[in-house]
Amino acid sequence: MHLKTLTVRGFKSFASATTFDFEPGVTAVVGPNGSGKSNVVDALAWVMGEQGAKSLRGGKMEDVIFAGTSGRAALGRAHVSLTIDNADGALPIEYSEVTISRTLFRSGGSEYAINGRSCRLLDIQELLSDSGLGREMHVIVGQGQLDRILQATPEDRRGFIEEASGILKHRRRKEKTLRKLESVQANLDRLEDLTGEIQRQLTPLGRQARTARKAQRIQYDVRDARARLLADDLVAARAGMDTDQGASAQARQRRDELEKSAAALAERL
Ligand code: ATP
């Protein structure tokens, strides 16, 4: 991974905007004691999300903002941006160059951005984590530590190399996965509780369902019986009507005959 440029403005001893262009390979920053060499490294750690003021050699995070000198007033904000060459696609983003930036205001607010678009710290951490960069991922070997590495036993050296080669990244992933597993386990436990509860409710529910089915069958039977009774009543009523109709026809015939004989008698009279 190649860090292309680093721009600092208002960060620690860098009051004016200062851009470092890093060529591929080894870069050395040379200067007298106290000239601000370590501040460049602090700026790198800071822009990649460092949250500990102590790791940045300060008491509180505000200490990273240019505090002023005899000839220059203090500034109200610190800004650092880092451009990473992403031609090899090491960072999971569709850009051949990625610029991450961080701004801190003396009033307390802070901003993060990826390629000029404001984002959350988490977005920067996630962007960098796959490449082994980011908070607690990359390894910055501080002053004096180089000596420790050179003098280290083979076991210690192995520890350093493991750390630098990104074992931490996998350890973090493992921790994250374990946390996820724990939450999945908690969900599973809850699910088991629910299944038990539902099963307990299922027994009376089954009984109720059987009773409901039986009640429905009885209702069908009652409806059929009523329909049959009604049909019988209908047949009987129709038969009665036919009989009544026969009787009234006979009565009408008899009346006609009587009227005829009455008419004949009247004529004779
Ligand atoms: P050494 O070689 O002694 O470790 P160095 O070159 O690494 O020194 P740094 O420790 O990076 O230097 O820088 C220290 C300088 O940065 C000091 O002069 C200090 O006053 C200045 N400095 C740190 N924080 C601020 C700040 N917030 N505002 C202004 N100057 C600051």
Side-chain angles (χ1 to χ4, degrees), residues 12-13 32-39 57 63 65-67 143:
K12 292 212 169 184
S13 51
N33 280 354
S35 59
K37 303 182 295 289
S38 302
N39 291 345
R57 303 175 302 139
D63 293 341
I65 305 173
F66 177 70
Q143 270 182 57

mmCIF file of all heavy atoms in Angstrom, residues 12-13 32-39 57 63 65-67 143, ligand 1:
data_model
loop_
_atom_site.group_PDB
_atom_site.id
_atom_site.type_symbol
_atom_site.label_atom_id
_atom_site.label_comp_id
_atom_site.label_asym_id
_atom_site.label_seq_id
_atom_site.Cartn_x
_atom_site.Cartn_y
_atom_site.Cartn_z
ATOM 1 N N LYS A 12 -1.009 20.330 15.141
ATOM 2 C CA LYS A 12 0.202 20.452 15.974
ATOM 3 C C LYS A 12 1.087 21.610 15.495
ATOM 4 O O LYS A 12 0.605 22.728 15.379
ATOM 5 C CB LYS A 12 0.943 19.121 16.002
ATOM 6 C CG LYS A 12 0.160 18.055 16.760
ATOM 7 C CD LYS A 12 1.055 17.083 17.445
ATOM 8 C CE LYS A 12 0.278 16.206 18.404
ATOM 9 N NZ LYS A 12 1.140 15.328 19.145
ATOM 10 N N SER A 13 2.337 21.333 15.133
ATOM 11 C CA SER A 13 3.233 22.455 14.806
ATOM 12 C C SER A 13 3.029 22.981 13.381
ATOM 13 O O SER A 13 3.655 23.954 12.978
ATOM 14 C CB SER A 13 4.691 22.025 15.011
ATOM 15 O OG SER A 13 4.923 20.825 14.339
ATOM 16 N N PRO A 32 15.935 18.766 12.889
ATOM 17 C CA PRO A 32 16.490 18.845 14.247
ATOM 18 C C PRO A 32 15.465 18.443 15.298
ATOM 19 O O PRO A 32 14.268 18.352 14.993
ATOM 20 C CB PRO A 32 16.882 20.322 14.397
ATOM 21 C CG PRO A 32 16.112 21.045 13.354
ATOM 22 C CD PRO A 32 15.806 20.075 12.257
ATOM 23 N N ASN A 33 15.945 18.229 16.503
ATOM 24 C CA ASN A 33 15.061 17.850 17.603
ATOM 25 C C ASN A 33 13.950 18.873 17.774
ATOM 26 O O ASN A 33 14.190 20.073 17.726
ATOM 27 C CB ASN A 33 15.841 17.783 18.919
ATOM 28 C CG ASN A 33 16.613 16.477 19.023
ATOM 29 O OD1 ASN A 33 16.458 15.599 18.165
ATOM 30 N ND2 ASN A 33 17.437 16.359 20.042
ATOM 31 N N GLY A 34 12.753 18.360 17.954
ATOM 32 C CA GLY A 34 11.618 19.245 18.236
ATOM 33 C C GLY A 34 11.101 19.992 17.026
ATOM 34 O O GLY A 34 10.262 20.887 17.156
ATOM 35 N N SER A 35 11.568 19.609 15.840
ATOM 36 C CA SER A 35 11.124 20.351 14.657
ATOM 37 C C SER A 35 9.769 19.868 14.139
ATOM 38 O O SER A 35 9.213 20.471 13.228
ATOM 39 C CB SER A 35 12.175 20.242 13.558
ATOM 40 O OG SER A 35 12.368 18.874 13.246
ATOM 41 N N GLY A 36 9.293 18.771 14.695
ATOM 42 C CA GLY A 36 7.941 18.328 14.315
ATOM 43 C C GLY A 36 7.902 17.049 13.479
ATOM 44 O O GLY A 36 6.897 16.770 12.830
ATOM 45 N N LYS A 37 8.974 16.251 13.525
ATOM 46 C CA LYS A 37 8.995 15.016 12.714
ATOM 47 C C LYS A 37 7.917 14.033 13.201
ATOM 48 O O LYS A 37 7.175 13.469 12.398
ATOM 49 C CB LYS A 37 10.390 14.350 12.790
ATOM 50 C CG LYS A 37 11.517 15.243 12.345
ATOM 51 C CD LYS A 37 12.845 14.531 12.403
ATOM 52 C CE LYS A 37 13.267 14.157 13.819
ATOM 53 N NZ LYS A 37 13.655 15.336 14.653
ATOM 54 N N SER A 38 7.877 13.869 14.520
ATOM 55 C CA SER A 38 6.885 12.909 15.041
ATOM 56 C C SER A 38 5.458 13.403 14.811
ATOM 57 O O SER A 38 4.521 12.602 14.754
ATOM 58 C CB SER A 38 7.096 12.678 16.538
ATOM 59 O OG SER A 38 8.392 12.205 16.755
ATOM 60 N N ASN A 39 5.301 14.721 14.679
ATOM 61 C CA ASN A 39 3.956 15.251 14.420
ATOM 62 C C ASN A 39 3.411 14.745 13.085
ATOM 63 O O ASN A 39 2.202 14.611 12.910
ATOM 64 C CB ASN A 39 3.981 16.788 14.417
ATOM 65 C CG ASN A 39 4.233 17.339 15.816
ATOM 66 O OD1 ASN A 39 4.121 16.607 16.787
ATOM 67 N ND2 ASN A 39 4.598 18.611 15.902
ATOM 68 N N ARG A 57 0.442 11.821 21.905
ATOM 69 C CA ARG A 57 1.329 12.562 22.799
ATOM 70 C C ARG A 57 0.698 13.861 23.303
ATOM 71 O O ARG A 57 1.340 14.902 23.384
ATOM 72 C CB ARG A 57 2.678 12.836 22.112
ATOM 73 C CG ARG A 57 3.364 11.549 21.647
ATOM 74 C CD ARG A 57 4.608 11.818 20.886
ATOM 75 N NE ARG A 57 4.356 12.642 19.721
ATOM 76 C CZ ARG A 57 5.135 13.630 19.329
ATOM 77 N NH1 ARG A 57 6.223 13.920 20.009
ATOM 78 N NH2 ARG A 57 4.836 14.340 18.249
ATOM 79 N N ASP A 63 -5.491 19.098 21.962
ATOM 80 C CA ASP A 63 -4.066 19.455 21.889
ATOM 81 C C ASP A 63 -3.475 19.267 20.491
ATOM 82 O O ASP A 63 -2.367 19.743 20.223
ATOM 83 C CB ASP A 63 -3.248 18.609 22.888
ATOM 84 C CG ASP A 63 -3.605 18.969 24.319
ATOM 85 O OD1 ASP A 63 -4.170 20.064 24.515
ATOM 86 O OD2 ASP A 63 -3.350 18.148 25.216
ATOM 87 N N ILE A 65 -4.671 20.589 17.879
ATOM 88 C CA ILE A 65 -4.887 21.833 17.114
ATOM 89 C C ILE A 65 -3.746 22.807 17.403
ATOM 90 O O ILE A 65 -3.319 22.945 18.567
ATOM 91 C CB ILE A 65 -6.240 22.480 17.492
ATOM 92 C CG1 ILE A 65 -7.378 21.456 17.302
ATOM 93 C CG2 ILE A 65 -6.505 23.726 16.653
ATOM 94 C CD1 ILE A 65 -8.728 21.933 17.792
ATOM 95 N N PHE A 66 -3.252 23.428 16.362
ATOM 96 C CA PHE A 66 -2.126 24.369 16.496
ATOM 97 C C PHE A 66 -2.412 25.356 17.637
ATOM 98 O O PHE A 66 -3.401 26.108 17.584
ATOM 99 C CB PHE A 66 -1.911 25.110 15.169
ATOM 100 C CG PHE A 66 -0.820 26.134 15.243
ATOM 101 C CD1 PHE A 66 0.526 25.755 15.365
ATOM 102 C CD2 PHE A 66 -1.115 27.499 15.202
ATOM 103 C CE1 PHE A 66 1.539 26.706 15.444
ATOM 104 C CE2 PHE A 66 -0.106 28.453 15.275
ATOM 105 C CZ PHE A 66 1.222 28.059 15.400
ATOM 106 N N ALA A 67 -1.527 25.358 18.640
ATOM 107 C CA ALA A 67 -1.794 26.132 19.855
ATOM 108 C C ALA A 67 -1.194 27.527 19.807
ATOM 109 O O ALA A 67 -1.303 28.278 20.776
ATOM 110 C CB ALA A 67 -1.264 25.361 21.063
ATOM 111 N N GLN A 143 9.538 6.162 18.467
ATOM 112 C CA GLN A 143 10.950 6.433 18.769
ATOM 113 C C GLN A 143 11.420 5.506 19.877
ATOM 114 O O GLN A 143 10.712 5.292 20.843
ATOM 115 C CB GLN A 143 11.087 7.875 19.252
ATOM 116 C CG GLN A 143 11.337 8.848 18.133
ATOM 117 C CD GLN A 143 11.520 10.254 18.676
ATOM 118 O OE1 GLN A 143 12.391 10.492 19.497
ATOM 119 N NE2 GLN A 143 10.698 11.162 18.219
HETATM 120 P P1 ATP B 1 12.207 14.875 18.580
HETATM 121 O O1 ATP B 1 13.172 14.531 17.505
HETATM 122 O O2 ATP B 1 12.801 15.647 19.710
HETATM 123 O O3 ATP B 1 11.315 13.764 19.009
HETATM 124 P P2 ATP B 1 10.375 15.870 16.668
HETATM 125 O O4 ATP B 1 11.068 16.472 15.516
HETATM 126 O O5 ATP B 1 9.763 14.508 16.477
HETATM 127 O O6 ATP B 1 11.216 15.940 17.953
HETATM 128 P P3 ATP B 1 7.807 16.588 17.490
HETATM 129 O O7 ATP B 1 7.785 15.896 18.799
HETATM 130 O O8 ATP B 1 7.067 15.982 16.374
HETATM 131 O O9 ATP B 1 9.256 16.872 17.063
HETATM 132 O O10 ATP B 1 7.268 18.045 17.610
HETATM 133 C C1 ATP B 1 7.333 18.745 18.773
HETATM 134 C C2 ATP B 1 7.057 20.165 18.441
HETATM 135 O O11 ATP B 1 5.693 20.307 18.048
HETATM 136 C C3 ATP B 1 7.262 21.008 19.641
HETATM 137 O O12 ATP B 1 7.998 22.153 19.262
HETATM 138 C C4 ATP B 1 5.890 21.412 20.080
HETATM 139 O O13 ATP B 1 5.857 22.702 20.609
HETATM 140 C C5 ATP B 1 5.169 21.406 18.765
HETATM 141 N N1 ATP B 1 3.761 21.186 18.990
HETATM 142 C C6 ATP B 1 3.130 20.067 19.406
HETATM 143 N N2 ATP B 1 1.796 20.264 19.522
HETATM 144 C C7 ATP B 1 1.579 21.538 19.131
HETATM 145 C C8 ATP B 1 0.418 22.358 19.004
HETATM 146 N N3 ATP B 1 -0.797 21.902 19.310
HETATM 147 N N4 ATP B 1 0.584 23.625 18.584
HETATM 148 C C9 ATP B 1 1.769 24.105 18.269
HETATM 149 N N5 ATP B 1 2.901 23.393 18.345
HETATM 150 C C10 ATP B 1 2.823 22.133 18.788
#
